[in-house]
PDB file of all heavy atoms in Angstrom:
ATOM      1  N   SER A 514     -34.303  13.726 -37.028  1.00  0.00           N
ATOM      2  CA  SER A 514     -35.103  12.565 -36.647  1.00  0.00           C
ATOM      3  C   SER A 514     -36.522  13.005 -36.387  1.00  0.00           C
ATOM      4  O   SER A 514     -36.778  14.134 -35.949  1.00  0.00           O
ATOM      5  CB  SER A 514     -34.550  11.913 -35.378  1.00  0.00           C
ATOM      6  OG  SER A 514     -33.195  11.579 -35.513  1.00  0.00           O
ATOM      7  N   ILE A 515     -37.413  12.096 -36.629  1.00  0.00           N
ATOM      8  CA  ILE A 515     -38.797  12.292 -36.220  1.00  0.00           C
ATOM      9  C   ILE A 515     -39.232  10.997 -35.539  1.00  0.00           C
ATOM     10  O   ILE A 515     -38.864   9.902 -35.980  1.00  0.00           O
ATOM     11  CB  ILE A 515     -39.712  12.638 -37.415  1.00  0.00           C
ATOM     12  CG1 ILE A 515     -41.123  12.965 -36.911  1.00  0.00           C
ATOM     13  CG2 ILE A 515     -39.720  11.536 -38.456  1.00  0.00           C
ATOM     14  CD1 ILE A 515     -42.021  13.570 -37.985  1.00  0.00           C
ATOM     15  N   TYR A 516     -39.926  11.137 -34.431  1.00  0.00           N
ATOM     16  CA  TYR A 516     -40.360   9.940 -33.725  1.00  0.00           C
ATOM     17  C   TYR A 516     -41.767  10.141 -33.200  1.00  0.00           C
ATOM     18  O   TYR A 516     -42.207  11.261 -32.899  1.00  0.00           O
ATOM     19  CB  TYR A 516     -39.391   9.564 -32.609  1.00  0.00           C
ATOM     20  CG  TYR A 516     -39.132  10.632 -31.569  1.00  0.00           C
ATOM     21  CD1 TYR A 516     -39.913  10.726 -30.410  1.00  0.00           C
ATOM     22  CD2 TYR A 516     -38.083  11.528 -31.726  1.00  0.00           C
ATOM     23  CE1 TYR A 516     -39.657  11.696 -29.452  1.00  0.00           C
ATOM     24  CE2 TYR A 516     -37.817  12.492 -30.775  1.00  0.00           C
ATOM     25  CZ  TYR A 516     -38.604  12.574 -29.638  1.00  0.00           C
ATOM     26  OH  TYR A 516     -38.352  13.536 -28.686  1.00  0.00           O
ATOM     27  N   LEU A 517     -42.466   9.031 -33.098  1.00  0.00           N
ATOM     28  CA  LEU A 517     -43.833   9.016 -32.588  1.00  0.00           C
ATOM     29  C   LEU A 517     -43.916   7.943 -31.525  1.00  0.00           C
ATOM     30  O   LEU A 517     -43.467   6.812 -31.735  1.00  0.00           O
ATOM     31  CB  LEU A 517     -44.827   8.725 -33.720  1.00  0.00           C
ATOM     32  CG  LEU A 517     -46.311   8.668 -33.339  1.00  0.00           C
ATOM     33  CD1 LEU A 517     -46.792  10.040 -32.851  1.00  0.00           C
ATOM     34  CD2 LEU A 517     -47.154   8.197 -34.529  1.00  0.00           C
ATOM     35  N   HIS A 518     -44.460   8.306 -30.384  1.00  0.00           N
ATOM     36  CA  HIS A 518     -44.514   7.375 -29.271  1.00  0.00           C
ATOM     37  C   HIS A 518     -45.884   7.451 -28.608  1.00  0.00           C
ATOM     38  O   HIS A 518     -46.431   8.531 -28.400  1.00  0.00           O
ATOM     39  CB  HIS A 518     -43.430   7.710 -28.244  1.00  0.00           C
ATOM     40  CG  HIS A 518     -43.379   6.753 -27.092  1.00  0.00           C
ATOM     41  ND1 HIS A 518     -44.150   6.906 -25.953  1.00  0.00           N
ATOM     42  CD2 HIS A 518     -42.655   5.622 -26.896  1.00  0.00           C
ATOM     43  CE1 HIS A 518     -43.884   5.913 -25.118  1.00  0.00           C
ATOM     44  NE2 HIS A 518     -42.987   5.132 -25.651  1.00  0.00           N
ATOM     45  N   ASP A 519     -46.422   6.281 -28.286  1.00  0.00           N
ATOM     46  CA  ASP A 519     -47.714   6.197 -27.592  1.00  0.00           C
ATOM     47  C   ASP A 519     -47.529   5.374 -26.326  1.00  0.00           C
ATOM     48  O   ASP A 519     -47.167   4.192 -26.386  1.00  0.00           O
ATOM     49  CB  ASP A 519     -48.760   5.547 -28.498  1.00  0.00           C
ATOM     50  CG  ASP A 519     -50.126   5.436 -27.801  1.00  0.00           C
ATOM     51  OD1 ASP A 519     -50.333   6.098 -26.764  1.00  0.00           O
ATOM     52  OD2 ASP A 519     -50.982   4.668 -28.297  1.00  0.00           O
ATOM     53  N   HIS A 520     -47.747   6.016 -25.189  1.00  0.00           N
ATOM     54  CA  HIS A 520     -47.767   5.303 -23.909  1.00  0.00           C
ATOM     55  C   HIS A 520     -49.231   5.085 -23.551  1.00  0.00           C
ATOM     56  O   HIS A 520     -49.970   6.025 -23.282  1.00  0.00           O
ATOM     57  CB  HIS A 520     -47.060   6.115 -22.821  1.00  0.00           C
ATOM     58  CG  HIS A 520     -47.101   5.455 -21.474  1.00  0.00           C
ATOM     59  ND1 HIS A 520     -46.307   4.383 -21.152  1.00  0.00           N
ATOM     60  CD2 HIS A 520     -47.854   5.721 -20.365  1.00  0.00           C
ATOM     61  CE1 HIS A 520     -46.560   4.002 -19.917  1.00  0.00           C
ATOM     62  NE2 HIS A 520     -47.498   4.790 -19.421  1.00  0.00           N
ATOM     63  N   TRP A 521     -49.643   3.815 -23.543  1.00  0.00           N
ATOM     64  CA  TRP A 521     -51.055   3.457 -23.450  1.00  0.00           C
ATOM     65  C   TRP A 521     -51.271   2.694 -22.148  1.00  0.00           C
ATOM     66  O   TRP A 521     -50.596   1.693 -21.881  1.00  0.00           O
ATOM     67  CB  TRP A 521     -51.406   2.606 -24.669  1.00  0.00           C
ATOM     68  CG  TRP A 521     -52.839   2.175 -24.785  1.00  0.00           C
ATOM     69  CD1 TRP A 521     -53.883   2.496 -23.987  1.00  0.00           C
ATOM     70  CD2 TRP A 521     -53.362   1.318 -25.801  1.00  0.00           C
ATOM     71  NE1 TRP A 521     -55.038   1.914 -24.433  1.00  0.00           N
ATOM     72  CE2 TRP A 521     -54.746   1.184 -25.546  1.00  0.00           C
ATOM     73  CE3 TRP A 521     -52.809   0.669 -26.902  1.00  0.00           C
ATOM     74  CZ2 TRP A 521     -55.568   0.397 -26.359  1.00  0.00           C
ATOM     75  CZ3 TRP A 521     -53.617  -0.101 -27.709  1.00  0.00           C
ATOM     76  CH2 TRP A 521     -54.993  -0.226 -27.437  1.00  0.00           C
ATOM     77  N   GLU A 522     -52.205   3.169 -21.340  1.00  0.00           N
ATOM     78  CA  GLU A 522     -52.537   2.514 -20.079  1.00  0.00           C
ATOM     79  C   GLU A 522     -54.002   2.084 -20.117  1.00  0.00           C
ATOM     80  O   GLU A 522     -54.890   2.894 -20.421  1.00  0.00           O
ATOM     81  CB  GLU A 522     -52.293   3.439 -18.885  1.00  0.00           C
ATOM     82  CG  GLU A 522     -50.819   3.843 -18.754  1.00  0.00           C
ATOM     83  CD  GLU A 522     -50.539   4.652 -17.501  1.00  0.00           C
ATOM     84  OE1 GLU A 522     -51.495   4.918 -16.736  1.00  0.00           O
ATOM     85  OE2 GLU A 522     -49.367   5.023 -17.281  1.00  0.00           O
ATOM     86  N   ALA A 523     -54.224   0.811 -19.814  1.00  0.00           N
ATOM     87  CA  ALA A 523     -55.582   0.259 -19.881  1.00  0.00           C
ATOM     88  C   ALA A 523     -55.779  -0.714 -18.721  1.00  0.00           C
ATOM     89  O   ALA A 523     -54.878  -0.968 -17.920  1.00  0.00           O
ATOM     90  CB  ALA A 523     -55.800  -0.438 -21.223  1.00  0.00           C
ATOM     91  N   LEU A 524     -57.019  -1.271 -18.664  1.00  0.00           N
ATOM     92  CA  LEU A 524     -57.369  -2.248 -17.626  1.00  0.00           C
ATOM     93  C   LEU A 524     -57.074  -1.687 -16.241  1.00  0.00           C
ATOM     94  O   LEU A 524     -56.331  -2.275 -15.457  1.00  0.00           O
ATOM     95  CB  LEU A 524     -56.617  -3.568 -17.847  1.00  0.00           C
ATOM     96  CG  LEU A 524     -56.828  -4.258 -19.210  1.00  0.00           C
ATOM     97  CD1 LEU A 524     -56.020  -5.535 -19.282  1.00  0.00           C
ATOM     98  CD2 LEU A 524     -58.299  -4.521 -19.453  1.00  0.00           C
ATOM     99  N   ASP A 525     -57.680  -0.505 -15.960  1.00  0.00           N
ATOM    100  CA  ASP A 525     -57.457   0.176 -14.678  1.00  0.00           C
ATOM    101  C   ASP A 525     -55.973   0.430 -14.433  1.00  0.00           C
ATOM    102  O   ASP A 525     -55.474   0.312 -13.308  1.00  0.00           O
ATOM    103  CB  ASP A 525     -58.042  -0.622 -13.517  1.00  0.00           C
ATOM    104  CG  ASP A 525     -59.562  -0.631 -13.518  1.00  0.00           C
ATOM    105  OD1 ASP A 525     -60.152   0.344 -14.032  1.00  0.00           O
ATOM    106  OD2 ASP A 525     -60.150  -1.603 -13.013  1.00  0.00           O
ATOM    107  N   ARG A 526     -55.264   0.764 -15.500  1.00  0.00           N
ATOM    108  CA  ARG A 526     -53.843   1.106 -15.478  1.00  0.00           C
ATOM    109  C   ARG A 526     -52.951  -0.084 -15.109  1.00  0.00           C
ATOM    110  O   ARG A 526     -51.764   0.095 -14.823  1.00  0.00           O
ATOM    111  CB  ARG A 526     -53.557   2.280 -14.534  1.00  0.00           C
ATOM    112  CG  ARG A 526     -54.306   3.554 -14.911  1.00  0.00           C
ATOM    113  CD  ARG A 526     -53.831   4.743 -14.074  1.00  0.00           C
ATOM    114  NE  ARG A 526     -54.599   5.933 -14.385  1.00  0.00           N
ATOM    115  CZ  ARG A 526     -54.352   6.754 -15.404  1.00  0.00           C
ATOM    116  NH1 ARG A 526     -53.335   6.492 -16.208  1.00  0.00           N
ATOM    117  NH2 ARG A 526     -55.108   7.820 -15.609  1.00  0.00           N
ATOM    118  N   ARG A 527     -53.511  -1.275 -15.124  1.00  0.00           N
ATOM    119  CA  ARG A 527     -52.677  -2.445 -14.847  1.00  0.00           C
ATOM    120  C   ARG A 527     -51.850  -2.829 -16.071  1.00  0.00           C
ATOM    121  O   ARG A 527     -50.798  -3.459 -15.941  1.00  0.00           O
ATOM    122  CB  ARG A 527     -53.548  -3.615 -14.405  1.00  0.00           C
ATOM    123  CG  ARG A 527     -54.271  -3.358 -13.093  1.00  0.00           C
ATOM    124  CD  ARG A 527     -55.200  -4.494 -12.706  1.00  0.00           C
ATOM    125  NE  ARG A 527     -54.452  -5.710 -12.392  1.00  0.00           N
ATOM    126  CZ  ARG A 527     -55.032  -6.858 -12.040  1.00  0.00           C
ATOM    127  NH1 ARG A 527     -56.352  -6.931 -11.976  1.00  0.00           N
ATOM    128  NH2 ARG A 527     -54.298  -7.914 -11.755  1.00  0.00           N
ATOM    129  N   LEU A 528     -52.304  -2.471 -17.254  1.00  0.00           N
ATOM    130  CA  LEU A 528     -51.586  -2.758 -18.488  1.00  0.00           C
ATOM    131  C   LEU A 528     -51.002  -1.470 -19.048  1.00  0.00           C
ATOM    132  O   LEU A 528     -51.719  -0.488 -19.246  1.00  0.00           O
ATOM    133  CB  LEU A 528     -52.518  -3.396 -19.515  1.00  0.00           C
ATOM    134  CG  LEU A 528     -51.904  -3.674 -20.897  1.00  0.00           C
ATOM    135  CD1 LEU A 528     -50.795  -4.721 -20.794  1.00  0.00           C
ATOM    136  CD2 LEU A 528     -52.989  -4.116 -21.890  1.00  0.00           C
ATOM    137  N   LYS A 529     -49.699  -1.484 -19.268  1.00  0.00           N
ATOM    138  CA  LYS A 529     -49.019  -0.349 -19.901  1.00  0.00           C
ATOM    139  C   LYS A 529     -48.352  -0.836 -21.177  1.00  0.00           C
ATOM    140  O   LYS A 529     -47.677  -1.869 -21.178  1.00  0.00           O
ATOM    141  CB  LYS A 529     -47.952   0.257 -18.993  1.00  0.00           C
ATOM    142  CG  LYS A 529     -48.486   1.119 -17.858  1.00  0.00           C
ATOM    143  CD  LYS A 529     -48.753   0.309 -16.623  1.00  0.00           C
ATOM    144  CE  LYS A 529     -49.180   1.196 -15.460  1.00  0.00           C
ATOM    145  NZ  LYS A 529     -49.572   0.377 -14.265  1.00  0.00           N
ATOM    146  N   LEU A 530     -48.555  -0.080 -22.238  1.00  0.00           N
ATOM    147  CA  LEU A 530     -47.935  -0.390 -23.518  1.00  0.00           C
ATOM    148  C   LEU A 530     -47.141   0.819 -23.988  1.00  0.00           C
ATOM    149  O   LEU A 530     -47.596   1.962 -23.850  1.00  0.00           O
ATOM    150  CB  LEU A 530     -48.988  -0.748 -24.568  1.00  0.00           C
ATOM    151  CG  LEU A 530     -49.835  -2.000 -24.314  1.00  0.00           C
ATOM    152  CD1 LEU A 530     -50.921  -2.118 -25.358  1.00  0.00           C
ATOM    153  CD2 LEU A 530     -48.961  -3.242 -24.296  1.00  0.00           C
TER     154      LEU A 530
END
Side-chain angles (χ1 to χ4, degrees):
S514 305
I515 185 169
Y516 57 91
L517 180 65
H518 183 273
D519 180 15
H520 178 76
W521 182 4
E522 298 185 359
L524 303 180
D525 290 332
R526 300 188 183 276
R527 296 177 67 181
L528 176 65
K529 284 90 175 175
L530 297 174

